[in-house]
Amino acid sequence: MPLSEQEQRLLDEMERHLMHNDADVVTASRDGRTLSYRNIVYGTVLVLVGLGGLIAGVAGRGAIGLVIVGVVGFVLMLGGVILAVTPTRAVSPRPVQTSAPSTPRKSASFMDRMNDRWDRRQEDR
């Protein structure tokens, strides 16, 4: 459903306000580094396995082998957290083939860009 003229003006005003006041948040560069979904999943698995080892080590009484299992479990948990939160270098995105010539993105409003994305998705189906 298209926006009314007043809603469109309000949305454009909000976008300009956001870009003006929170420009550091909007344009924050992470130096080409981003979190990897795969590393988050592997890190979570390591944390869960480590938690199991830590609980097994704490639950055991007196056996030195179970203390070692608890320490190894803690190290696995720590490694999993570090793996999950460490950003990786982002790979360059594959070029997207479009039927229309590309236009400068800076001059297009937020809604224009969203409409273009919607149209491209509808064409792909």
Side-chain angles (χ1 to χ4, degrees):
M1 173 189 292
L3 296 174
S4 70
E5 181 107 6
Q6 181 183 5
E7 292 171 333
Q8 183 66 42
R9 277 187 277 132
L10 181 62
L11 185 62
D12 289 339
E13 181 182 335
M14 288 172 29
E15 180 183 1
R16 281 192 304 273
H17 181 71
L18 176 67
M19 292 298 256
H20 181 318
N21 292 338
D22 296 332
D24 56 335
V25 174
V26 173
T27 61
S29 173
R30 293 187 63 156
D31 210 19
R33 299 176 68 119
T34 181
L35 292 178
S36 168
Y37 179 73
R38 183 190 63 184
N39 285 355
I40 292 172
V41 170
Y42 289 158
T44 303
V45 169
L46 272 177
V47 166
L48 293 176
V49 169
L51 183 63
L54 183 65
I55 290 173
V58 170
R61 296 188 187 246
I64 192 72
L66 291 180
V67 171
I68 293 173
V69 169
V71 170
V72 170
F74 177 77
V75 170
L76 283 176
M77 286 175 52
L78 183 64
V81 169
I82 290 172
L83 178 66
V85 300
T86 303
T88 58
R89 177 106 10 220
V91 293
S92 60
R94 290 180 279 159
V96 177
Q97 294 186 4
T98 59
S99 58
S102 62
T103 58
R105 293 272 186 211
K106 300 236 181 221
S107 64
S109 71
F110 173 76
M111 286 305 294
D112 290 338
R113 292 192 309 262
M114 290 296 110
N115 286 334
D116 290 342
R117 287 178 71 184
W118 178 261
D119 291 340
R120 282 195 305 264
R121 285 186 181 172
Q122 295 302 320
E123 288 174 1
D124 289 343
R125 288 185 180 187

